[in-house]
């Protein structure tokens, strides 16, 4: 671990830690994170640099040293959730009492951070997220629903249109804030996910630990989706990576096996194929002109999800 905690003196952000997990993200962090952390006096910044190349690690070391960030250097790629757990542990050891979990391809202004922090300071049992926009100004996230009946995901704003009755709100890990106390009570992100659905589980378990889970509409962030996977700034309806399809399809059943009773797991398993198709449709229909990669990812995701959930039925 290299670097030192950030900020000159103590300010209104004292006690806050910004925790970011990167993967080949030095360019994104220089553009997105550095301008933010320079304007958060008193805050700590922890960056977990999941292993890519020696050159990238050297760039991250130089950037972290220049910005005064705490840098954690795993020998391999831990994934998002486990990486965040490592970074949060460093932040708590450094004295943080609130955590802002942020993607490298997300940006948020200091005043928006302050709005989220005020909610968490007023209620240590609050798990909060801002409205998140795409770079073009369209809504990327303003609350998502988990349908407990079959494991579908839909935007909370569509509850009335879809007639949803069995949904629970969950918050995107792209930009998320909570108290250190709540983080420790929930136990951080669950293992076994690598990417995707760990934020669904965090929200689900936080609520069961007595937390309020809410979007703070007065706060806004921007997320250039796909930047952390080297796919550029994906727009809604554009083809996504095989990794996106695979883990979103697989991890739905990992979540079920870890959190639901056997009858619910059976219902989720029966819906696996149609829901896998719905996940693929998030990337638009044009990708099916060359269907090998998305269909391969979907097949593997369904297969491995069914395997992962089988043990919960015994």
């Amino acid at each position: 671990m290299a670097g030192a905690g950030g900020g000159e003196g103590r300010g209104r952000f004292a006690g806050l830690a910004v925790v970011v997990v990167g993967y080949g993200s030095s360019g994104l962090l220089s553009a997105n994170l550095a301008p933010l952390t320079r304007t958060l006096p008193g805050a700590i910044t922890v960056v977990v640099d999941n292993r890519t190349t020696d050159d990238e690690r050297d760039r991250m070391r130089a950037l972290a040293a220049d910005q005064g960030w705490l840098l954690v250097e795993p020998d391999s790629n831990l994934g998002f959730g486990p990486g965040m757990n490592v970074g949060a542990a460093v932040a708590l050891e450094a004295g943080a009492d609130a955590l802002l979990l942020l993607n490298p391809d997300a940006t948020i202004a200091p005043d928006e951070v302050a709005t989220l922090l005020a909610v968490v300071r007023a209620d240590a049992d609050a798990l909060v997220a801002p409205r998140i926009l795409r770079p073009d100004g369209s809504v990327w996230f303003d609350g998502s629903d988990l349908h407990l009946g079959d494991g579908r995901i839909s935007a909370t704003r569509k509850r009335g249109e879809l007639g949803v009755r069995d949904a629970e709100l969950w918050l995107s890990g792209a930009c998320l804030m909570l108290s250190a106390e709540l983080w420790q009570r929930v136990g951080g992100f669950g293992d076994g996910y690598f990417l995707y659905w760990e934020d669904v589980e965090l929200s689900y378990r936080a609520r069961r630990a007595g937390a309020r889970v809410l979007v703070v509409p007065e706060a806004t962030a921007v997320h250039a989706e796909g930047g952390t996977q080297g796919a550029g700034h994906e727009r809604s309806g554009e083809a996504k990576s095989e990794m996106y399809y695979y883990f979103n399809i697989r991890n739905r059943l990992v979540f079920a096996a870890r959190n639901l009773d056997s009858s619910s797991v059976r219902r989720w398993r029966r819906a696996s194929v149609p829901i896998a198709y719905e996940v693929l449709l998030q990337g638009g229909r044009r990708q099916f002109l060359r269907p090998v990669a998305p269909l391969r990812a979907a097949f593997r995701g369904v297969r491995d999800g069914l395997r992962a959930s089988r043990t919960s039925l015994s």
Side-chain angles (χ1 to χ4, degrees), residues 51-229:
R51 183 78 187 184
T52 52
T53 66
D54 290 343
D55 286 346
E56 172 64 13
R57 178 132 297 173
D58 288 342
R59 286 190 290 270
M60 275 304 316
R61 286 174 178 169
L63 180 60
D66 180 63
Q67 299 297 322
W69 300 337
L70 296 171
L71 181 64
V72 185
E73 302 179 326
D75 292 332
S76 61
N77 183 3
L78 302 178
F80 176 77
M84 275 293 181
N85 288 345
V86 171
V90 170
L92 297 183
E93 185 179 351
D97 61 14
L99 303 172
L100 172 62
L101 313 182
L102 194 64
N103 269 19
D105 52 8
T107 57
I108 185 169
D111 286 348
E112 315 290 346
V113 175
T115 298
L116 296 177
L117 186 59
V119 176
V120 170
R121 291 274 191 252
D123 182 3
D125 287 339
L127 175 67
V128 304
R131 293 177 69 248
I132 305 177
L133 306 179
R134 298 184 182 90
D136 65 7
S138 61
V139 175
W140 182 79
F141 169 88
D142 58 358
S144 288
D145 281 338
L146 168 65
H147 299 231
L148 294 175
D150 58 13
R152 279 181 166 83
I153 296 289
S154 63
T156 302
R157 63 184 177 276
K158 294 184 177 180
R159 278 184 180 178
E161 172 189 337
L162 298 175
V164 175
R165 297 178 181 272
D166 62 349
E168 283 197 6
L169 173 70
W170 63 273
L171 304 180
S172 168
C175 184
L176 194 62
M177 188 181 288
L178 72 167
S179 68
E181 176 187 338
L182 180 58
W183 174 266
Q184 291 174 307
R185 192 190 325 155
V186 176
F189 286 116
D191 56 10
Y193 290 101
F194 190 76
L195 285 174
Y196 305 116
W197 276 81
E198 62 282 293
D199 46 7
V200 181
E201 182 176 276
L202 184 74
S203 302
Y204 182 88
R205 291 190 168 182
R207 185 177 286 105
R208 279 148 187 79
R212 292 192 305 142
V213 177
L214 66 152
V215 176
V216 179
E218 298 82 9
T220 302
V222 176
H223 183 217
E225 185 182 10
T228 52
Q229 295 181 33

Side-chain angles (χ1 to χ4, degrees), residues 13-19 43-46 87-88 91-92 96-101:
F13 298 104
L16 174 67
V18 183
V19 184
I44 302 160
T45 301
V46 180
L92 297 183
D97 61 14
L99 303 172
L100 172 62
L101 313 182

